[in-house]
Amino acid sequence: MTTEIKRSQETHQTLWDLSVPGRSGIRLPNSDVPEQALPDASLLRDELPLPELSELAVVRHFTQLSQKNFSVDTNFYPLGSCTMKYNPKINDVVASTPGFSAIHPLQPEETVQGALELMHNLQGILQEVTGMPASTLAPLAGAHGELSGVLMIRAYHERNGDSKRKIMLIPDSAHGTNPSSASMAGFDVVTVPSDEQGNMDLKALEAVADDNLAGLMITLPSTLGLFDPGIVKICGIVHKAGGLVYGDGANMNAIMGRVKLNDLGFDVVHLNLHKTTSTPHGGGGPGAGPICVGEKLVQYMPSPVVERQGTAGQETYKLVTPPDTIGALSAGHGNFGVLVRSYAYLRALGADGIRQASGDAVLNANYLMKRLKHVYYLPYDRTCMHEAVFSGKWQRVEGVKALDVSKRLIDYGVHPPTMYFPLIVEEALMIEPTETESKETLDSFVDVMIAIASESTKSPEVLVAAPHNTPVGRLDEARASRQPDVRYRA
Ligand SMILES: *Cc1c(COP(=O)(O)O)cnc(C)c1O
């Protein structure tokens, strides 16, 4: 009995391992129709191997599997640049309202006016938050927004007969999706270095800003968690050379309600609604990466854009295609369920709430930075924004890597921070607490980080072998994502 209990809870038995011939979780009623002969054997499939189990065994199996998941609903999740804030459940309730969840993208527009109104209103809020005059909700993720943004920049230069502009500048701290998007759109990527403070090196920027320049992709705040005070100058240099500025707004959680990106000189910016506006994410989606654009790019936006027509009290909403559009990005109109959650979140907060959320996010990150900077090396010792990037350099002296610190955190019930990114920080540990965590949670996280730092000198072998209390230890992550094998073979 004991072994059986242990077996089902601690090992990785499949339903087939638990199967007992003849056991069943269902009982079908006696047939009350005449029996019919089966079709010709060539039309029948082989024996279907299904596990035979009681209902209780199935429920336990899946419940136990679900408990092996790490989630923001169970534990602290300071995964830098991913903004793993709490996802209010009311957003899910709103999104599952049948008027939103039971409609189809090909339904006639007059039958989905409410959904279109929501999309139109969301466009409006995002325009207000970014200060940009137009937007579309079509991109399905941050990287998808980037791709549409750089395709629009390409369309703009081509229309101006300026197609020799092939250079896309990208800072050395950038997220990997930035150079990928630029090269997918046919640009040659040139890296701009950061200076000692972590800001963009303006001299280096000026040196490469010539008439081959298509544009610059810049993240604000940067992936070092820093607000570059030279941002207006940077945009000015790019514009003077005839280029456009793409803003990666995935880190908008630090500045929403506080900075108008249009005024800084951005021509297009994407937002990561799944990060900033609290919709569940992880494991590949779904997400939403709307783009907000300045005057120069409005005509190139991907379709659809939701427009309001008619007079007050008699408004109707329509899906429209901008005149010089780069095209549609997907079969539907965007990840609608994410858009509904996002709208619910933004309306619940209101303008003051949005401003307070970004303020609290920055406050929480600075609190962690101040409390931890004597224990972990802080490469850029200045006020941070939504996240603080530490380095595991001091711990490496003992043979302990940032990876080991991260794996040990799992034993303490904390999700690892983002590691080894940005690439310009050695042994990087990028910590983003978000605004939804309490001071008590932040304090216990600090205690854990201090305990791990002390273990790294007293018992480094414990860290190197961590995690110790998870169903599986260290996985071959690269192979898991390149050759995923999620099929059961009997
Ligand atoms: C998350 C992130 C992205 C990519 O967003 P996805 O939705 O994962 O495609 C791009 N840039 C930065 C800075 C990010 O943090």
Side-chain angles (χ1 to χ4, degrees):
M1 184 66 185
T2 329
T3 43
E4 188 165 312
I5 290 173
K6 255 182 104 91
R7 199 152 35 101
S8 68
Q9 287 179 349
E10 290 176 8
T11 64
H12 318 293
Q13 286 189 305
T14 66
L15 287 176
W16 282 270
D17 299 326
L18 298 169
S19 177
V20 176
R23 192 161 289 170
S24 174
I26 52 160
R27 197 168 38 182
L28 296 173
N30 292 332
S31 171
D32 56 0
V33 292
E35 259 186 43
Q36 299 294 319
L38 288 171
D40 180 83
S42 67
L43 295 174
L44 297 177
R45 64 181 159 194
D46 289 340
E47 194 67 18
L48 186 62
L50 288 176
E52 298 176 79
L53 299 149
S54 68
E55 180 175 326
L56 175 57
V58 174
V59 168
R60 285 212 177 122
H61 177 76
F62 285 109
T63 306
Q64 282 164 12
L65 273 186
S66 78
Q67 288 170 343
K68 288 176 180 158
N69 266 345
F70 197 103
S71 73
V72 79
D73 284 353
T74 54
N75 294 69
F76 183 42
Y77 208 133
L79 185 65
S81 213
C82 291
T83 313
M84 303 305 287
K85 61 171 80 174
Y86 174 64
N87 312 136
K89 300 303 165 231
I90 184 76
N91 300 350
D92 295 331
V93 174
V94 174
S96 36
T97 309
F100 291 134
S101 65
I103 53 176
H104 191 279
L106 299 182
Q107 245 174 273
E109 279 171 17
E110 62 273 18
T111 67
V112 287
Q113 283 294 302
L116 294 180
E117 179 177 359
L118 179 144
M119 290 172 75
H120 183 267
N121 292 352
L122 180 58
Q123 287 174 186
I125 296 177
L126 300 181
Q127 283 160 220
E128 194 163 329
V129 168
T130 55
M132 308 296 282
S135 64
T136 168
L137 309 173
L140 303 179
H144 208 202
E146 290 171 29
L147 181 65
S148 26
V150 287
L151 286 173
M152 289 163 65
I153 292 179
R154 189 174 85 180
Y156 169 86
H157 289 310
E158 278 171 3
R159 194 168 180 92
N160 293 339
D162 230 358
S163 38
K164 73 164 190 301
R165 292 185 176 272
K166 283 276 179 236
I167 303 293
M168 187 60 73
L169 301 176
I170 299 182
D172 55 4
S173 59
H175 194 267
T177 49
N178 290 188
S180 308
S181 302
S183 76
M184 276 181 80
F187 291 111
D188 299 325
V189 173
V190 172
T191 305
V192 189
S194 307
D195 65 16
E196 275 113 71
Q197 279 85 51
N199 298 321
M200 182 174 282
D201 183 334
L202 292 180
K203 289 229 160 58
L205 173 64
E206 269 167 341
V208 285
D210 57 23
D211 57 5
N212 291 313
L213 183 64
L216 164 78
M217 293 182 89
I218 188 166
T219 310
L220 190 78
S222 73
T223 52
L224 292 167
L226 305 173
F227 190 94
D228 194 324
I231 189 66
V232 173
K233 271 194 202 140
I234 291 169
C235 296
I237 294 170
V238 173
H239 287 152
K240 202 165 146 231
L244 297 184
V245 178
Y246 182 92
D248 178 332
N251 294 340
M252 197 71 189
N253 207 45
I255 54 173
M256 57 174 180
R258 294 174 184 267
V259 178
K260 298 272 185 203
L261 300 174
N262 199 44
D263 297 350
L264 299 180
F266 284 61
D267 296 295
V268 48
V269 60
H270 86 260
L271 302 178
N272 275 48
L273 295 190
H274 41 297
K275 294 177 181 172
T276 312
T277 67
S278 85
T279 76
H281 59 298
I291 46 177
C292 300
V293 312
E295 298 295 354
K296 288 179 206 152
L297 294 176
V298 177
Q299 75 210 68
Y300 305 105
M301 280 198 291
S303 63
V305 176
V306 183
E307 237 176 55
R308 182 166 58 200
Q309 301 179 337
T311 49
Q314 306 234 302
E315 299 93 346
T316 53
Y317 297 87
K318 259 192 95 50
L319 294 162
V320 300
T321 300
D324 300 308
T325 183
I326 57 162
L329 301 170
S330 70
H333 311 321
N335 266 334
F336 185 66
V338 175
L339 304 178
V340 177
R341 286 175 177 80
S342 180
Y343 184 65
Y345 172 81
L346 289 164
R347 287 298 301 265
L349 285 186
D352 290 341
I354 289 172
R355 211 171 298 121
Q356 186 176 347
S358 56
D360 290 349
V362 171
L363 179 64
N364 277 0
N366 277 281
Y367 180 71
L368 287 185
M369 185 189 80
K370 284 259 151 63
R371 289 211 55 202
L372 284 174
K373 72 178 190 179
H374 308 293
V375 193
Y376 291 86
Y377 174 62
L378 183 68
Y380 302 100
D381 191 358
R382 55 187 258 208
T383 304
C384 67
M385 299 298 289
H386 60 301
E387 64 196 1
V389 181
F390 292 93
S391 160
K393 206 162 118 170
W394 291 343
Q395 283 67 36
R396 203 176 46 193
V397 179
E398 313 291 337
V400 166
K401 298 205 279 285
L403 178 74
D404 306 318
V405 172
S406 291
K407 295 294 181 194
R408 185 62 175 148
L409 272 171
I410 299 171
D411 286 335
Y412 286 99
V414 174
H415 193 282
T418 297
M419 284 175 297
Y420 301 110
F421 173 74
L423 301 174
I424 52 173
V425 174
E426 53 174 332
E427 296 294 307
L429 287 166
M430 182 198 243
I431 297 170
E432 178 180 14
T434 83
E435 73 281 11
T436 56
E437 299 298 336
S438 65
K439 180 167 179 297
E440 292 75 22
T441 301
L442 300 184
D443 284 334
S444 52
F445 174 66
V446 168
D447 292 345
V448 166
M449 287 297 280
I450 292 172
I452 292 176
S454 126
E455 285 176 342
S456 75
T457 49
K458 293 195 191 110
S459 47
E461 69 286 352
V462 175
L463 270 65
V464 174
H468 299 275
N469 53 19
T470 50
V472 286
R474 298 197 182 194
L475 303 169
D476 182 346
E477 289 166 21
R479 204 172 130 233
S481 71
R482 297 208 177 116
Q483 297 163 256
D485 181 5
V486 291
R487 215 178 100 195
Y488 175 78
R489 289 186 190 86

